[in-house]
Amino acid sequence: SERKFNVQQWLERSDEKIPPNHIILVTVFNAKFPINVEVIYKVCNIVGRVKRIVCFERMNVTQCMVEFETLESASKARSSLHGCDIYNNCCTMKVEYSKMESLVVRENNAMSWDFTNGEPEG
């Protein structure tokens, strides 16, 4: 049987029934490098202002919730980052709207960060 991984199939989004949201769910496939707040922030902050990030692992797959300041930034991230690689030929991102209405960051560390608290004004 064909056991080869099908990227196109994996990139099929299942968020059609989820209303557009300012929080996105980023699933990272083929994560050969550690994926943390810093990495995801660099990728997402190009698109729009990021408020909060929470990263977690589920069945050996890294997922990150990213809360943007605006819905516009989140939908831009959903369309522009989907299917992109964070690093060359690995760490491919699947980007969907999240069902979450808000993100709770209990503490700022490598896997979760609230950029609205004590963020340097610039």
Side-chain angles (χ1 to χ4, degrees):
S1 65
E2 184 71 8
R3 298 276 302 162
K4 197 167 161 284
F5 182 79
N6 182 338
V7 176
Q8 288 319 110
Q9 208 177 327
W10 181 81
L11 283 172
E12 265 174 36
R13 293 188 272 213
S14 53
D15 64 348
E16 285 79 26
K17 293 179 183 72
I18 301 171
N21 191 351
H22 65 293
I23 301 174
I24 58 168
L25 173 65
V26 180
T27 307
V28 183
F29 167 71
N30 196 7
K32 292 179 182 170
F33 300 99
I35 301 301
N36 55 29
V37 164
E38 193 182 349
V39 172
I40 294 297
Y41 182 80
K42 277 182 187 154
V43 171
C44 292
N45 200 47
I46 299 165
V47 180
R49 195 180 170 109
V50 173
K51 288 176 81 174
R52 292 173 193 90
I53 297 174
V54 176
C55 304
F56 49 94
E57 274 202 21
R58 247 195 185 141
M59 299 175 291
N60 294 332
V61 175
T62 302
Q63 292 191 306
C64 308
M65 304 270 220
V66 182
E67 182 179 345
F68 284 93
E69 199 161 75
T70 65
L71 177 60
E72 188 187 2
S73 294
S75 62
K76 207 160 101 180
R78 183 181 177 272
S79 55
S80 65
L81 299 177
H82 182 71
C84 294
D85 294 347
I86 298 174
Y87 299 105
N88 227 350
N89 297 322
C90 69
C91 304
T92 307
M93 293 180 288
K94 174 179 180 175
V95 186
E96 304 172 278
Y97 288 124
S98 167
K99 295 186 189 87
M100 302 277 286
E101 284 174 26
S102 61
L103 278 189
V104 177
V105 172
R106 289 188 181 84
E107 61 171 334
N108 288 347
N109 57 37
M111 297 307 270
S112 62
W113 202 276
D114 187 337
F115 296 94
T116 64
N117 287 350
E119 187 184 9
E121 290 302 314

